[in-house]
Amino acid sequence: AQSVTQLGSHVSVSEGALVLLRCNYSSSVPPYLFWYVQYPNQGLQLLLKYTSAATLVKGINGFEAEFKKSETSFHLTKPSAHMSDAAEYFCAVSGGSGGSQGNLIFGKGTKLSVKP
Amino acid sequence: EAQVTQNPRYLITVTGKKLTVTCSQNMNHEYMSWYRQDPGLGLRQIYYSMNVEVTDKGDVPEGYKVSRKEKRNFPLILESPSPNQTSLYFCASRLDSLLSNQPQHFGDGTRLSIL
């Protein structure tokens, strides 16, 4: 069974500061990991994904995440926050092939606020 | 344009009045899924479908039905809606049912209010 824990339901940073959103997972099979972003009144948009290739994954809008198996973590970072980054971010895990293991399990989300 | 389309986007209705939320994708995706999003709980899967005529329960299926008669459509049915089904609903699809390393594509959501 898979699960995802996102530490911090709300994170606030100043414009230009580092963004760090934390995600820890548990999985009984090699995991596939995803970060999605949800802007107000919109659906979810894929930021980046880890699928067992490079452990450092680069995504859209300057975000990246590093898969650390020893820490079971997949934290999302961005060196310099922009006002347009204000949104809710979801970490998700899936694994295996077929059946329920292939379903996405989401964390509870982290709302990012960016102060001018 | 490749997309997942949900209708309606907003609906206010009353307890017990059957309703259907439609979902259609134009990407020839095998896998489709329904989620509900509630504050502080993230997204939870209601039902999923691996292909036409193949559906299965997710984590929170009580009170919902689905069908997959055609590859492109995956409607969500609430036979007798109750206030605890007030939520934001998302439909999503993925190209291959077996390749869970592929991302899912999401619709824009349907906000349901059951009075």
Side-chain angles (χ1 to χ4, degrees):
Chain A
Q2 291 112 1
S3 67
V4 174
T5 301
Q6 290 185 240
L7 289 174
S9 57
H10 287 87
V11 169
S12 181
V13 300
S14 297
E15 194 172 19
L18 171 72
V19 175
L20 170 60
L21 304 182
R22 298 178 187 273
C23 172
N24 288 89
Y25 70 91
S26 78
S27 178
S28 56
V29 295
Y32 302 124
L33 293 155
F34 304 83
W35 276 100
Y36 284 87
V37 60
Q38 184 182 29
Y39 299 104
N41 299 314
Q42 294 187 27
L44 277 74
Q45 178 182 355
L46 180 70
L47 267 182
L48 49 80
K49 63 177 183 177
Y50 167 77
T51 57
S52 77
T55 56
L56 182 61
V57 181
K58 294 190 185 299
I60 61 171
N61 301 337
F63 284 92
E64 63 182 37
E66 187 171 9
F67 173 70
K68 291 187 177 181
K69 185 177 179 181
S70 61
E71 298 177 9
T72 61
S73 68
F74 190 56
H75 302 330
L76 182 70
T77 60
K78 181 173 180 177
S80 176
H82 193 272
M83 296 296 291
S84 61
D85 295 327
E88 190 159 19
Y89 293 80
F90 292 94
C91 182
V93 64
S94 69
S97 61
S100 61
Q101 280 190 337
N103 294 331
L104 269 182
I105 304 298
F106 283 88
K108 294 182 179 180
T110 298
K111 271 195 181 151
L112 176 66
S113 301
V114 182
K115 298 174 290 189
Chain B
E1 180 190 350
Q3 59 187 5
V4 178
T5 304
Q6 297 178 227
N7 280 296
R9 291 292 313 279
Y10 304 91
L11 179 63
I12 301 174
T13 188
V14 295
T15 298
K17 186 176 180 183
K18 181 179 178 180
L19 66 91
T20 300
V21 184
T22 64
C23 174
S24 180
Q25 49 91 6
N26 63 359
M27 297 170 279
N28 200 37
H29 284 179
E30 283 186 345
Y31 178 99
M32 296 186 75
S33 182
W34 275 103
Y35 300 88
R36 61 177 288 173
Q37 182 181 9
D38 300 291
L41 297 179
L43 280 84
R44 295 176 293 166
Q45 189 177 52
I46 303 170
Y47 269 94
Y48 66 99
S49 169
M50 303 282 277
N51 215 322
V52 175
E53 302 292 2
V54 181
T55 63
D56 208 345
K57 296 177 181 178
D59 296 319
V60 288
E62 294 78 20
Y64 304 95
K65 285 176 56 177
V66 293
S67 68
R68 188 96 181 270
K69 295 186 171 62
E70 307 162 282
K71 199 171 188 179
R72 64 183 293 129
N73 296 324
F74 190 44
L76 179 70
I77 304 155
L78 284 72
E79 294 261 354
S80 183
S82 63
N84 65 11
Q85 294 177 297
T86 292
S87 187
L88 179 58
Y89 292 84
F90 287 101
C91 181
S93 69
R94 184 177 80 208
L95 178 61
D96 192 296
S97 285
L98 297 181
L99 296 178
S100 59
N101 59 348
Q102 296 172 345
Q104 292 188 23
H105 299 258
F106 285 80
D108 286 335
T110 295
R111 189 167 290 282
L112 282 184
S113 294
I114 316 292
L115 305 178

